[in-house]
Amino acid sequence: MDALLELLGRYDCHLKRNEISMVEFLNINFEQYLKDLRKANVPEKNQLIGKEMCQKVDDVIDEIENNMQEIINVLKMYQLGNIVDASIKFFNILDKMKPYLMFGYTGNFHKDSYFRILKVNKEQEKFERNEMFHIPLNKNHLIGTERYSMPGYPCLYLATQIELCWFECGQPKQFYISKFDIPDEEDNILKLIDFSQKSCDLKHSFFSWFNNEKDKDKVRKYLLKYLYTYPLRAACSVTVEHPEGRFKEEYIIPQLLLQWIRKDKDFYGVKYESCKPSDEVRRIGGYNLVLLTKDFDKEGYDKFLRNNVKISIPHFEKNALVKSKDPMYFLHIEKSLEEFEYI
């Protein structure tokens, strides 16, 4: 297989920093990626995708290197408390990178299912449909830090598989779950930055596309996006070293990314691969989805999401740790999630 396609498989985005700082970890990762990218970008090593692809990489490789250094600088500035300057610098990076960002749409080609789970601490607790939505702005004291959102800022986090959703929530013994109906009509479809594709799978996909697609340049441009934006995706995809910690430096770049999306007119959120360290999560597949909030009604809910996203009646489950061993368990749950309504 061509060297640039093999590079996709080697640079997966399920990254672990193993107790070294984010700055040091990304420095090592970026330097090795740049070295491997230059080494792979030789026409003789890319017979399928051709010298045209190598030229495209040559045209932007200095930009890729600069982006890497700028992301490192943003982290350094942020950690020294220069948060405003770090944000401005990072927003400038993203403005420049925007034409290369991978993106997808809700309801694009096929309609995915989305789920949200809330852990139940006491069996008598009961969640209503509106409580399965994002936490309203007037209750922002309940909102902690998440990968793509700052403390106090509400976002709607969903997953495409119930099993993935359950793992993301820490495998609770008992919980409520709802299914979400996300807009897929042409007038209100949502555009999302897409970090959801596993790199190892992508190299085989690109191999097939180059063999079957008549417009080879279209595929080359798409491949260039993945090679160009790898540093950003990597910086957003490091697993959390200290899950119980109050501050998670792995969240700095993804949180700044979502702040940039808030001011951008085109994007409404991010599709992303789970960053949980468990091998079981990677086996499940699927992806997470975070939808941001922009304009709130008097009850503290995002107006657009409230008017366009439907939610099923919450379903209660208990003894989940035992039942999860049944291969049909999560399918049984999904069949119980119906009667969609707006909150």
Side-chain angles (χ1 to χ4, degrees):
M1 187 176 289
D2 286 13
L4 286 173
L5 298 183
E6 290 288 0
L7 200 63
L8 290 177
R10 287 206 304 277
Y11 282 88
D12 197 357
C13 279
H14 198 81
L15 304 173
K16 299 178 182 180
R17 61 185 178 90
N18 297 320
E19 293 295 343
I20 64 175
S21 72
M22 279 288 290
V23 168
E24 184 180 357
F25 172 75
L26 289 180
N27 255 326
I28 294 170
N29 181 278
F30 289 171
E31 286 179 8
Q32 189 62 53
Y33 177 71
L34 189 65
K35 178 181 177 181
D36 288 346
L37 181 60
R38 292 186 187 280
K39 185 177 179 180
N41 193 47
V42 179
E44 292 77 17
K45 297 180 180 180
N46 296 280
Q47 296 295 320
L48 176 63
I49 59 181
K51 62 181 181 181
E52 297 89 349
M53 185 68 228
C54 295
Q55 184 59 56
K56 289 182 183 297
V57 174
D58 277 337
D59 291 342
V60 298
I61 199 163
D62 289 340
E63 287 184 33
I64 295 173
E65 183 176 12
N66 183 67
N67 291 341
M68 290 174 173
Q69 188 56 57
E70 289 293 79
I71 289 172
I72 296 295
N73 290 337
V74 167
L75 280 171
K76 290 179 178 178
M77 294 167 67
Y78 194 102
Q79 291 174 342
L80 291 174
N82 300 325
I83 297 175
V84 173
D85 291 341
S87 300
I88 293 171
K89 179 178 284 290
F90 190 63
F91 290 176
N92 289 334
I93 298 169
L94 291 172
D95 288 342
K96 183 176 64 175
M97 292 182 70
K98 185 175 178 179
Y100 294 95
L101 291 173
M102 299 84 70
F103 61 86
Y105 296 94
T106 55
N108 195 23
F109 300 116
H110 64 279
K111 191 172 177 63
D112 286 322
S113 298
Y114 296 100
F115 306 91
R116 178 170 166 80
I117 280 176
L118 291 180
K119 180 181 178 181
V120 176
N121 295 314
K122 299 177 182 178
E123 194 164 323
Q124 62 267 29
E125 280 186 296
K126 183 177 180 181
F127 289 101
E128 301 297 334
R129 197 191 305 260
N130 67 309
E131 293 176 282
M132 303 301 294
F133 207 50
H134 71 73
I135 296 174
L137 187 63
N138 54 21
K139 293 184 179 180
N140 62 358
H141 61 282
L142 300 174
I143 304 170
T145 186
E146 300 290 348
R147 182 168 293 272
Y148 284 97
S149 54
M150 309 283 280
Y153 172 62
C155 286
L156 182 57
Y157 283 86
L158 307 171
T160 53
Q161 272 94 1
I162 296 177
E163 189 175 2
L164 173 60
C165 199
W166 184 62
F167 270 99
E168 289 282 3
C169 292
Q171 299 170 268
K173 294 180 181 179
Q174 51 191 25
F175 57 85
Y176 273 92
I177 182 168
S178 281
K179 188 175 182 178
F180 287 68
D181 184 39
I182 304 294
D184 64 344
E185 296 82 9
E186 186 174 348
D187 292 340
N188 59 6
I189 197 170
L190 302 178
K191 187 176 182 180
L192 311 163
I193 292 175
D194 190 355
F195 291 158
S196 65
Q197 296 237 24
K198 291 179 172 56
S199 298
C200 189
D201 297 336
L202 275 171
K203 73 173 186 178
H204 299 292
S205 298
F206 274 111
F207 182 80
S208 298
W209 294 335
F210 270 107
N211 276 308
N212 298 308
E213 175 64 50
K214 292 182 180 179
D215 187 352
K216 306 295 185 187
D217 199 54
K218 178 181 178 181
V219 186
R220 292 187 184 104
K221 290 177 180 177
Y222 193 43
L223 174 58
L224 185 66
K225 287 187 174 186
Y226 280 92
L227 297 173
Y228 186 97
T229 59
Y230 169 77
L232 173 63
R233 181 171 174 171
C236 290
S237 305
V238 181
T239 61
V240 174
E241 197 76 29
H242 303 288
E244 304 305 320
R246 292 190 177 184
F247 171 69
K248 300 176 177 65
E249 59 177 317
E250 300 90 349
Y251 288 1
I252 293 174
I253 298 300
Q255 286 180 351
L256 288 176
L257 173 60
L258 207 76
Q259 293 305 304
W260 176 80
I261 294 174
R262 283 199 83 253
K263 76 178 187 67
D264 185 77
K265 296 180 180 179
D266 295 320
F267 296 109
Y268 218 100
V270 182
K271 296 165 62 175
Y272 63 101
E273 184 182 356
S274 175
C275 298
K276 291 290 182 183
S278 169
D279 290 335
E280 288 186 84
V281 173
R282 294 176 65 75
R283 171 188 56 79
I284 294 167
Y287 62 87
N288 295 320
L289 173 71
V290 55
L291 299 176
L292 57 79
T293 53
K294 295 186 177 182
D295 185 21
F296 300 93
D297 61 23
K298 62 182 180 180
E299 295 181 69
Y301 295 109
D302 181 83
K303 292 179 181 178
F304 180 87
L305 295 180
R306 186 171 191 174
N307 292 329
N308 290 279
V309 176
K310 294 181 180 180
I311 309 175
S312 74
I313 295 173
H315 171 82
F316 177 67
E317 275 291 317
K318 62 180 180 179
N319 300 321
L321 287 174
V322 176
K323 295 179 181 178
S324 64
K325 297 176 182 178
D326 177 0
M328 299 298 290
Y329 172 60
F330 295 102
L331 182 60
H332 292 323
I333 295 178
E334 183 167 0
K335 289 181 178 179
S336 71
L337 303 174
E338 49 191 27
E339 297 184 44
F340 290 98
E341 292 181 10
Y342 299 112
I343 64 168

